[in-house]
């Protein structure tokens, strides 16, 4: 233990004040960095690749979120996927309801407004109470890998949604390929072999979620606990790739202060966050950060002078390990495991089962 000379009261007070100011500055400096992924994908040297990998891991340790720029997915591909998503949600409710989500083991199909209630809780009774009081105000379409013999995707008829299936399957594959690249960067940043995760994610057990947030009166969102999507820790798997429109609404919680800060849309970037299973895998070295979707700025309607939030679209690609993978503490992530090993598939299905009605 260090032995310090006694300080006069004034000196001690000044030192304490400087320390408090420094801590306050550190806590208020929470931000989501923009990382140019081309520097990893197109690196001309191993040191350049390692530098970007270290930046990604550092950001995931500090905030759990990054904006990924120059990610390799053409902007026209993203725009076309948004167009097809919008066309899907404009279909009649009767048509969409025929494709209804049925089972957490499949996690496929259409989810109407109010059926899901995302939350930090894992208690079924508490979630049911929250859903009854303040359901999430959004509708979604869930799509998985298309070659499962047991769990089938719920596709609309081609005449109802031309090229919808082809567009979503192509986008699913593109997102998987990006996920694999980012996981290689994470492996390097954790001082593992870059291919460490390759055979643990290659079965593509992911979930492509199309989201539509319809316009809603601001007064409805002022109900206690109500949000377009409730506050919850990062999602269930390894990573989430989030494609936003320009409306905004995503907020990320500063883990030091508890305050939520906007993840303002940045054109041609993808918001990437650490999922719960990757946080467990890394022994919480990589941060699972609470986030939510709230109402963006409202506008007055001409008919009744009510404040109404604009419609919002987003597309989330929830990346998962192979469902047979055992998730336990990674090498280089601590000597004592915070969590017991868990089967990836059982964990994800269990979380989904209590989230939906």
């Amino acid at each position: 233990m260090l032995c310090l000379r006694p300080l006069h009261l004034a000196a001690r007070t000044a030192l304490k004040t400087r320390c408090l100011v420094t801590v306050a500055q550190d806590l208020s400096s929470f931000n989501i960095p923009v990382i140019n992924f081309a520097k990893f994908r197109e690196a001309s040297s191993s040191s350049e690749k390692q530098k970007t990998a270290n930046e990604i891991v550092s950001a995931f340790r500090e905030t759990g979120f990054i904006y990924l720029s120059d990610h390799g997915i053409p902007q026209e591909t993203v725009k076309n996927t948004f167009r097809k998503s919008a066309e899907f949600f404009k279909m009649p409710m009767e048509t969409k309801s025929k494709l209804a989500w049925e089972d957490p083991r499949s996690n496929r199909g259409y989810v109407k407004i109010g059926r899901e209630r995302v939350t930090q809780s894992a208690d079924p009774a508490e979630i049911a109470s929250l859903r009854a009081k303040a359901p999430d105000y959004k509708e979604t379409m869930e799509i998985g890998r298309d070659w499962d013999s047991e769990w089938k995707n719920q596709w609309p008829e081609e005449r109802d949604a031309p090229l919808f299936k082809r567009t979503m399957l192509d986008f699913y594959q593109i997102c998987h390929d990006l996920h694999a690249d980012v996981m290689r960067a994470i492996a390097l940043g954790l001082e593992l072999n870059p291919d460490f995760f390759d055979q643990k994610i290659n079965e593509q057990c992911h979930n492509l979620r199309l989201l539509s947030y319809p316009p809603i009166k601001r007064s409805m969102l002022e109900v206690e606990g109500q949000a377009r999507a409730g506050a919850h820790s990062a999602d269930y798997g390894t990573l989430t790739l989030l494609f936003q429109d320009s409306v905004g609404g995503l907020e990320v919680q500063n883990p030091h202060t508890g305050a939520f800060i906007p993840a303002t849309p940045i054109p041609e970037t993808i918001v990437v966050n650490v999922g719960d299973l990757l946080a467990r895998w890394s022994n919480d070295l990589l941060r699972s950060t609470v986030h939510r979707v709230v109402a963006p700025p409202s506008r007055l309607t001409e008919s009744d002078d009510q404040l109404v939030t604009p419609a919002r679209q987003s597309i989330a690609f929830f990346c998962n390990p192979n469902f047979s993978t055992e998730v336990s503490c990674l090498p280089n992530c601590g000597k004592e495991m915070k969590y017991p090993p868990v089967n990836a598939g059982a964990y994800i299905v269990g979380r989904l089962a209590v989230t939906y009605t």
Side-chain angles (χ1 to χ4, degrees), residues 35-90:
I35 293 180
N36 183 339
F37 200 53
K39 293 181 179 179
F40 182 86
R41 296 185 300 108
E42 303 169 4
S44 57
S45 67
S46 57
S47 61
E48 184 180 356
K49 191 177 284 277
Q50 185 70 58
K51 181 181 178 182
T52 304
N54 291 345
E55 289 175 357
I56 290 172
V57 166
S58 177
F60 283 157
R61 290 178 65 147
E62 295 299 319
T63 67
F65 273 77
I66 61 174
Y67 291 99
L68 206 63
S69 69
D70 299 277
H71 40 72
I73 300 180
Q75 192 61 19
E76 184 52 43
T77 298
V78 176
K79 289 180 179 178
N80 184 55
T81 306
F82 268 94
R83 281 194 294 268
K84 292 301 174 184
S85 176
E87 290 172 9
F88 172 85
F89 289 114
K90 287 177 182 176

Side-chain angles (χ1 to χ4, degrees), residues 37 41 68 71-73 173-183 239 241 243 270 272:
F37 200 53
R41 296 185 300 108
L68 206 63
H71 40 72
I73 300 180
Q173 187 63 51
I174 288 171
C175 288
H176 167 74
D177 293 342
L178 177 58
H179 168 234
D181 280 343
V182 177
M183 292 300 289
L239 299 170
L241 312 180
F243 302 81
I270 304 170
V272 183

Side-chain angles (χ1 to χ4, degrees), residues 321-334:
N322 298 343
F323 280 178
S324 59
T325 298
E326 179 183 86
V327 175
S328 58
C329 184
L330 292 168
N332 307 328
C333 290

Side-chain angles (χ1 to χ4, degrees), residues 32-342:
I32 303 173
V34 179
I35 293 180
N36 183 339
F37 200 53
K39 293 181 179 179
F40 182 86
R41 296 185 300 108
E42 303 169 4
S44 57
S45 67
S46 57
S47 61
E48 184 180 356
K49 191 177 284 277
Q50 185 70 58
K51 181 181 178 182
T52 304
N54 291 345
E55 289 175 357
I56 290 172
V57 166
S58 177
F60 283 157
R61 290 178 65 147
E62 295 299 319
T63 67
F65 273 77
I66 61 174
Y67 291 99
L68 206 63
S69 69
D70 299 277
H71 40 72
I73 300 180
Q75 192 61 19
E76 184 52 43
T77 298
V78 176
K79 289 180 179 178
N80 184 55
T81 306
F82 268 94
R83 281 194 294 268
K84 292 301 174 184
S85 176
E87 290 172 9
F88 172 85
F89 289 114
K90 287 177 182 176
M91 293 195 307
M93 180 57 70
E94 180 183 1
T95 304
K96 292 185 289 187
S97 294
K98 292 177 182 178
L99 310 173
W101 186 100
E102 295 177 345
D103 193 293
R105 292 167 294 177
S106 68
N107 193 28
R108 289 163 166 82
Y110 172 70
V111 180
K112 66 180 182 180
I113 293 172
R115 188 175 182 188
E116 183 186 18
R117 191 19 163 123
V118 292
T119 172
Q120 191 70 349
S121 174
D123 178 65
E126 183 180 352
I127 294 172
S129 175
L130 286 169
R131 185 187 298 111
K133 181 179 180 181
D136 289 345
Y137 199 80
K138 66 180 188 295
E139 57 180 337
T140 72
M141 179 60 173
E142 315 290 331
I143 299 167
R145 59 185 188 180
D146 204 45
W147 59 85
D148 276 358
S149 57
E150 185 175 7
W151 305 113
K152 299 287 189 180
N153 279 315
Q154 304 272 24
W155 296 115
E157 296 292 337
E158 183 69 16
R159 65 176 179 273
D160 295 327
L163 297 179
F164 177 81
K165 178 178 179 179
R166 181 74 269 152
T167 299
M168 298 308 159
L169 288 180
D170 288 347
F171 196 68
Y172 189 100
Q173 187 63 51
I174 288 171
C175 288
H176 167 74
D177 293 342
L178 177 58
H179 168 234
D181 280 343
V182 177
M183 292 300 289
R184 291 182 189 115
I186 291 171
L188 270 179
L190 293 175
E191 300 181 355
L192 302 170
N193 289 329
D195 61 357
F196 180 89
F197 293 107
D198 284 6
Q199 297 306 307
K200 299 174 177 61
I201 62 173
N202 63 317
E203 294 175 8
Q204 303 191 27
C205 301
H206 313 308
N207 172 228
L208 173 61
R209 169 177 286 189
L210 313 178
L211 295 108
S212 172
Y213 299 87
I216 180 174
K217 291 180 180 179
R218 184 82 188 203
S219 58
M220 292 180 63
L221 287 175
E222 290 172 351
V223 175
E224 182 183 358
Q226 180 73 66
R228 277 180 154 177
H232 55 290
S233 71
D235 311 299
Y236 305 147
T238 50
L239 299 170
T240 298
L241 312 180
L242 179 67
F243 302 81
Q244 300 191 82
D245 66 8
S246 60
V247 173
L250 176 65
E251 292 187 341
V252 178
Q253 188 177 48
N254 183 330
H256 306 296
T257 66
F260 281 90
I261 64 167
T264 305
I266 299 177
E268 300 187 24
T269 67
I270 304 170
V271 176
V272 183
N273 66 273
V274 173
D276 288 340
L277 278 177
L278 184 55
R280 287 178 70 114
W281 228 342
S282 70
N283 220 26
D284 285 341
L285 184 71
L286 306 181
R287 186 182 293 275
S288 174
T289 305
V290 173
H291 56 282
R292 66 186 183 186
V293 179
V294 298
S298 305
R299 60 190 178 205
L300 283 171
T301 61
E302 295 180 0
S303 58
D304 55 9
D305 292 334
Q306 290 260 6
L307 282 173
V308 175
T309 65
R312 176 180 184 261
Q313 267 190 284
S314 65
I315 298 172
F317 189 75
F318 296 106
C319 310
N320 297 318
N322 298 343
F323 280 178
S324 59
T325 298
E326 179 183 86
V327 175
S328 58
C329 184
L330 292 168
N332 307 328
C333 290
K335 295 180 180 179
E336 295 185 9
M337 291 193 302
K338 291 185 177 182
Y339 307 99
V342 65

